[in-house]
Amino acid sequence: MISLLKKDFYNLRSYLKTILILVVFFTLLGFLKIEMYDSSFLSGMLIIIFTMIPIASFTYDLQSKWDAFCQTLPVTRKEIVLGKYILSLLTIGIGFVLSFIMNIVYSLWMKEPVDISMIISSNGMVSAVGIIIQSIILPLIYKFGVEKGRIILIIVCLAPTFLFMSLGEGVMGKLAQWDWQVISYASPVFALGIMFLSYNISYKIYNAKDF
């Protein structure tokens, strides 16, 4: 399992350099006090950026014909699929930690009070969204491939976006009355439950394939 993760991180070296540049860029935007680029927006962007990293690993696997080669190795298909899900959680976790640190540094830099509880809850909710996105995209990639999976993911993500845009003020007002503090703490647990179901679906799809 560790070897599979090492392989993915090794393949992603050049991609991670690009991610690092994006992290520095968005962080600078926050510290330059550019309108709309506040710490909450930037921390969310960081987590979502790191959420996309595992998708890139599938592209490298496709280019190197990894799936056919790894069938000759002493690893099970369950371990191969599980490795991708662990990679997803690791990258989202890294995004969470960097976002957490950035929020604290940003608050200190701007001489604002540091609300640790708010930072954890907001980052936790964004991380949960990242986990759910991964839970949707991974089975799609295993079923349809990287390119088709991305297209379907865009469609799936746009649907709720248009739904929220079409909601009336009455519905939005009711949503504003929800206890979002509780939801933010519960959302990661809910997201992990969805990921567990996603993993089982991905394994069934991958296990049925012939290479």
Side-chain angles (χ1 to χ4, degrees), residues 22-116:
L22 288 174
V23 169
V24 173
F25 173 73
F26 281 112
T27 301
L28 289 176
L29 287 180
F31 285 96
L32 291 174
K33 298 183 179 180
I34 297 177
E35 188 177 356
M36 90 171 268
Y37 292 106
D38 58 9
S39 60
S40 299
F41 174 83
L42 295 172
S43 62
M45 284 296 300
L46 286 180
I47 295 175
I48 295 301
I49 287 173
F50 276 88
T51 299
M52 297 296 105
I53 292 177
I55 299 176
S57 71
F58 281 94
T59 302
Y60 288 109
D61 288 349
L62 179 64
Q63 293 173 349
S64 62
K65 298 181 180 180
W66 162 254
D67 286 311
F69 172 73
C70 70
Q71 304 306 312
T72 64
L73 301 177
V75 291
T76 65
R77 294 193 175 192
K78 181 174 288 189
E79 290 174 332
I80 294 171
V81 175
L82 183 59
K84 292 297 184 183
Y85 279 83
I86 293 177
L87 175 66
S88 299
L89 291 175
L90 284 175
T91 53
I92 293 173
I94 293 172
F96 178 92
V97 172
L98 289 177
S99 176
F100 179 81
I101 295 172
M102 191 208 73
N103 270 276
I104 293 178
V105 174
Y106 180 89
S107 297
L108 295 174
W109 179 266
M110 299 299 176
K111 297 181 180 179
E112 299 175 351
V114 179
D115 190 341
I116 298 295

Side-chain angles (χ1 to χ4, degrees), residues 132 169 204:
I132 292 173
E169 293 184 3
K204 289 181 179 179

Side-chain angles (χ1 to χ4, degrees), residues 6-22:
K6 285 182 177 179
K7 181 269 299 180
D8 283 327
F9 279 113
Y10 181 83
N11 288 336
L12 290 166
R13 285 180 304 168
S14 59
Y15 186 80
L16 291 174
K17 291 178 182 177
T18 304
I19 293 296
L20 180 60
I21 294 174
L22 288 174

